[in-house]
Amino acid sequence: MSNYKPGLDYAKEQDTLDELASYRQQFHIPKDKNGKELIYLCGNSLGLQPKSTKTYINQELEDWANLGVDGHTHGKNPWLGYHEFLTESTAKLVGAKPIEVVTMNSLTANLHFMMASFYKPTKERNKILIESDAFPSDKYAVESQLRHHGYDDKEGLILWTPREGEELLRYEDLESLLETHGKEIALVMIGGVNYYTGQFFDFKRITTLGHKHGCMVGFDCAHGAGNVNLDLHNSGADFAVWCTYKYMNSGPGSLSGCFVHERHAHNKDLNRFTGWWSHNKATRFNMRHEFDVLPGAEGWQLSNPPILSMAAIKASLDLFSEVGFDKLLKKSKKLTGYFEYLLKALGEDTIRIITPEHPNERGCQLSIQVLKADKTLHTKLTEAGVVSDWREPDVIRCAPAPLYNSFTDVYLMVEKMKTILN
C-alpha cells in the first residue's frame, strides 16, 4: 500500500478503521511515572502481557493448591498432557502439522538438541554454514557443537556474508558458497528473520539449495514466530526452533518451540538425547521398559512440562487463534508500511532503513540507522516515552506488533524522533 498520508488525523482514522484495534485493550501497556501509556515498539525483544495471562496461570496455581499431585490427572487442564493443549494452535501459527511441533525447553537448548540429531559430521563433511551476523547465541551454539565433535570452531564455520557496503544478504552469494563448499557442509543453520536487519529469508529457497548439496537445513525462528508466515512444513526444512516471549507474548524466558519435519517423524535411528517424556505415553510410567521413542517432534522432549510457563503460552495462543494469523499479517504489513512511509519523510540525509523494503522480505521490525547519531538519540527517545532498542554500532530497532500497537503509536514515535533530531 502506498496511499498513506501525513498527519495525526490520518493515523487516528486508520485506528478507527482497524478491525483489530480492540485487541490493544487486552494487553497491559506499560506507563510512565505520570500514568501515561508508553509507546511500546519492543515486541521483537519482549512481547507485552495479555491481561488473560494472570487468569490462566492462577487456574493452575489453584489446581496445585487444591489438588496437589492429582492436578496431573484431575485439574481443569490436566498437567500430564498440558503441552498437547498448545500443539494445534502452535502448528497453525508456524505453518506446520501437529506431529511436527512441540513446546519444550529454552531456545538455545532446543537448538543443541536439534544439532545432536541433525548435525552429523563426517571426515569429509563436517562444516556448519551460518549467516555472518547471526544472533550471538546461535553462533556460540554452533561453535560449541564443532568443538564438541573435535573440530576447530573457526575453520569449521562457513559464513554467509553481506557484500561490502551492504547489510542484507544475497542468495547468489549463498549459492556460490554452497557450490564451492557444499561437499564439506553438514548443516546449514540460518536465523529465519535476522535479529539486526530484520531480513526475512526465503526458507524454501534456502532449504532446496542446502538439500541439493546434501546438507541438513535448520532455522532459528526466534524473530519469526508470531511475526511472519513461516510455512515450515512446506519449506521442507529439517528442523526449526523459536522462542515464545517475543511476538508470541508468553513472558520473559518462557519456553521454546521446536519443529521437526514429518519425514523424520518415525525415524527411530536418528541420534538424539532422550528422557522419559520422549518415551511412549502408553508405557511411560511402567518405569522398567526399554526406551520406546514417541513419533514426531514429541520424541525430542526430555522432561515433564513446566505448567506455569505453558499456561502463559496458552493464554497468548488462544488470542492468536481468536484473531486469526492472516488478519494479523495483513495489519502488520499495513502498519509497518505506514511506519516506513513516515520515517522516509524525514529525509535520506537523516535516516536510513536497513530492513528490506519488500513486505514479504520482512516482518514488522524496521531497523533504523540515524546518520551521524549515536546512542544518545536512543536515550532521548526513551526519555520521551518510546520503548525501542539499540543495537551497536548504530541501529534502533522498532517493531510495531499488530496485536497491540496502533497507527497512532507509530505516528507519535516518528514525531518524537523528528523533534529530537531538530
Side-chain angles (χ1 to χ4, degrees):
M1 179 177 174
S2 56
N3 55 338
Y4 298 113
K5 297 176 183 176
L8 181 58
D9 287 345
Y10 176 80
K12 288 182 174 179
E13 178 188 38
Q14 294 309 301
D15 286 332
T16 302
L17 296 172
D18 174 20
E19 63 176 322
L20 305 184
S22 63
Y23 283 95
R24 178 184 177 91
Q25 307 308 317
Q26 297 193 37
F27 286 83
H28 291 288
I29 311 292
K31 297 178 172 65
D32 64 18
K33 61 185 178 182
N34 298 315
K36 184 179 180 182
E37 286 185 352
L38 297 172
I39 299 169
Y40 193 88
L41 298 173
C42 212
N44 56 304
S45 187
L46 181 67
L48 292 182
Q49 183 190 135
K51 291 178 180 176
S52 59
T53 300
K54 185 178 287 188
T55 301
Y56 279 63
I57 291 175
N58 280 345
Q59 177 63 55
E60 307 317 321
L61 290 174
E62 285 177 21
D63 282 348
W64 179 20
N66 296 326
L67 299 171
V69 70
D70 287 338
H72 285 93
T73 51
H74 292 92
K76 182 179 180 183
N77 308 300
W79 304 330
L80 203 58
Y82 199 102
H83 70 276
E84 296 170 16
F85 297 140
L86 315 180
T87 300
E88 194 79 36
S89 43
T90 295
K92 285 180 182 176
L93 197 60
V94 299
K97 297 184 177 183
I99 196 173
E100 295 176 320
V101 299
V102 68
T103 302
M104 61 182 193
N105 308 320
S106 58
L107 176 61
T108 307
N110 279 342
L111 179 54
H112 277 296
F113 290 132
M114 290 297 98
M115 288 193 285
S117 297
F118 295 105
Y119 172 53
K120 299 181 285 188
T122 65
K123 185 177 180 182
E124 294 77 24
R125 187 188 286 274
N126 51 59
K127 296 190 176 182
I128 300 176
L129 186 151
I130 62 171
E131 73 270 37
S132 58
D133 195 18
F135 190 74
S137 196
D138 289 354
K139 185 169 182 284
Y140 304 152
V142 297
E143 286 174 342
S144 68
Q145 285 283 335
L146 286 162
R147 292 192 300 270
H148 174 70
H149 287 281
Y151 300 103
D152 184 277
D153 60 15
K154 299 297 182 283
E155 292 181 6
L157 272 189
I158 293 180
L159 301 177
W160 181 17
T161 306
R163 298 183 184 183
E164 189 172 345
E166 298 181 0
E167 286 84 14
L168 303 178
L169 294 168
R170 294 177 179 237
Y171 295 103
E172 312 91 84
D173 297 337
L174 178 62
E175 289 168 5
S176 296
L177 280 173
L178 283 160
E179 286 294 337
T180 304
H181 301 286
K183 291 180 181 178
E184 307 166 60
I185 297 171
L187 174 66
V188 175
M189 215 302 291
I190 302 295
V193 176
N194 184 268
Y195 81 100
Y196 185 72
T197 64
Q199 183 177 9
F200 173 31
F201 297 108
D202 185 333
F203 286 22
K204 190 173 182 67
R205 183 173 181 178
I206 293 171
T207 301
T208 301
L209 193 57
H211 286 171
K212 174 187 168 186
H213 291 277
C215 315
M216 290 290 185
V217 181
F219 295 94
D220 175 356
C221 302
H223 289 266
N227 176 29
V228 294
N229 180 18
L230 294 172
D231 200 18
L232 287 175
H233 174 78
N234 290 327
S235 77
D238 294 291
F239 70 87
V241 294
W242 57 90
C243 58
T244 63
Y245 55 78
K246 298 181 188 295
Y247 297 104
M248 289 175 66
N249 312 311
S250 67
S254 196
L255 289 166
S256 168
C258 197
F259 162 90
V260 179
H261 198 279
E262 71 170 341
R263 68 175 168 274
H264 302 298
H266 299 279
N267 182 359
K268 295 188 177 186
D269 295 327
L270 269 174
N271 181 54
R272 69 180 90 202
F273 296 134
T274 54
W276 71 326
W277 234 249
S278 46
H279 182 84
N280 182 343
K281 295 172 191 177
T283 57
R284 180 182 289 156
F285 291 96
N286 290 354
M287 301 301 188
R288 290 170 183 84
H289 281 233
E290 289 299 311
F291 182 69
D292 181 15
V293 68
L294 282 167
E298 284 186 309
W300 273 266
Q301 295 174 110
L302 299 185
S303 304
N304 54 325
I307 301 302
L308 301 183
S309 178
M310 286 196 168
I313 297 171
K314 188 175 188 300
S316 180
L317 284 173
D318 285 354
L319 262 180
F320 274 98
S321 297
E322 181 184 317
V323 176
F325 197 46
D326 287 344
K327 288 182 180 178
L328 280 172
L329 287 175
K330 184 179 177 183
K331 177 182 173 181
S332 181
K333 288 180 179 180
K334 186 176 180 182
L335 187 59
T336 296
Y338 175 58
F339 189 24
E340 179 183 48
Y341 162 82
L342 293 174
L343 286 168
K344 284 185 173 180
L346 296 176
E348 290 183 5
D349 58 337
T350 304
I351 69 108
R352 179 167 166 261
I353 299 168
I354 65 172
T355 307
E357 285 194 24
H358 198 292
N360 293 338
E361 295 174 11
R362 68 185 185 201
C364 65
Q365 173 185 322
L366 291 183
S367 298
I368 307 159
Q369 280 182 331
V370 183
L371 307 184
K372 299 175 185 174
D374 57 25
K375 197 176 179 180
T376 55
L377 171 66
H378 179 257
T379 303
K380 289 176 181 176
L381 268 176
T382 303
E383 291 167 351
V386 177
V387 183
S388 59
D389 73 4
W390 173 266
R391 284 290 177 265
E392 296 293 348
D394 58 358
V395 162
I396 295 172
R397 300 187 306 171
C398 296
L403 256 178
Y404 50 75
N405 280 123
S406 65
F407 288 84
T408 301
D409 280 340
V410 163
Y411 174 82
L412 293 175
M413 182 277 177
V414 177
E415 284 299 299
K416 287 173 184 292
M417 179 179 274
K418 190 189 299 183
T419 300
I420 294 165
L421 290 171
N422 290 338

